[in-house]
Amino acid sequence: MKKKRWDAFPSRESIPKFIRVMKLMSFFLLAGFLEVSANVYSQQANIHLSMHDVRLDEVIKEIQKQTEYTFFYSPDDVTDVIISKVELEKASIESTLDQCLKGTNLDYEIVHKAVVLKKGKEPVVELPDIPTLQQPLKKEISGTIKDPNGFPLPGVTVIVKGSTIGTITDNDGKFKLSAPADAKTLVFSFVGMKTQEIKVGTQTAINVVLTEEFIGIEEVVAIGYGVA
């Protein structure tokens, strides 16, 4: 009977794959070891602090003296931060930071032996409801102005009576006016034509025919000049 032969070493083709697997295993083992060692170190920091009315950056310097932690932060974030009182005995880095940063709007993140300080989210301040000023109601009025012969009249003045709100007709005798909702009367005037007043009511389209204004002979004043 012929016995099977088992190779003690992997084949040449499988060596690169074997090396990659070993590298990955080494990486995960190292990462796990660093995480565990960081957690153990943070719990065994044994920080002693007794400080009153000091700046936060001074507290950070003292923590760095007593531990192997390095702090990273923006100077603008800690310049005006004052710690009124901190009393700690054999404290971990987490409890130390929790007490020092309480009420400062600063958060921290510990990565191995590095402490990163950063500003937390600003509290959302809800403003009271401010009543908006209600815009006056308006309505659009449009129309066409013509003479007695049916020809459009350009340049006719259209005004809301009792106000300065108005417009003039275009070359086709058309007008469009944004008038107050309570507008009662529109006044139409043009040189040589009789001025007309039209009640608005609920109308939004107003067409007007202006008639010519004749001057009677009695209204004509003759002025004579003599020659000396």
Side-chain angles (χ1 to χ4, degrees), residues 45-56:
N46 291 331
I47 299 172
H48 302 264
L49 289 177
S50 179
M51 306 177 76
H52 300 267
D53 298 323
V54 292
R55 298 197 312 268
L56 178 58

Side-chain angles (χ1 to χ4, degrees), residues 3-4 14 24 32 38 42 46 48 67 88 116 150 157 169 173 176 179 184 203 214-215 219 223:
K3 295 183 179 180
K4 291 183 180 180
S14 63
L24 286 173
S42 66
N46 291 331
H48 302 264
T67 66
L88 293 169
V116 181
T157 301
T169 57
K176 185 178 290 185
K184 296 180 174 58
Q203 299 181 88
F214 296 99
I215 300 176
E219 298 179 42
I223 301 176

Side-chain angles (χ1 to χ4, degrees), residues 115-179:
V115 178
V116 181
L117 300 182
K118 53 187 176 181
K119 277 192 173 182
K121 293 183 179 179
E122 294 290 341
V124 178
V125 179
E126 294 186 2
L127 297 176
D129 293 334
I130 301 176
T132 56
L133 296 176
Q134 186 176 2
Q135 296 294 327
L137 298 177
K138 294 185 177 182
K139 62 179 177 181
E140 297 290 332
I141 303 175
S142 60
T144 304
I145 314 299
K146 296 181 179 180
D147 66 9
N149 297 318
F151 293 105
L153 286 175
V156 177
T157 301
V158 184
I159 295 178
V160 177
K161 187 175 183 180
S163 74
T164 57
I165 301 171
T167 185
I168 60 174
T169 57
D170 59 16
N171 291 333
D172 297 322
K174 298 181 182 296
F175 74 93
K176 185 178 290 185
L177 179 65
S178 180

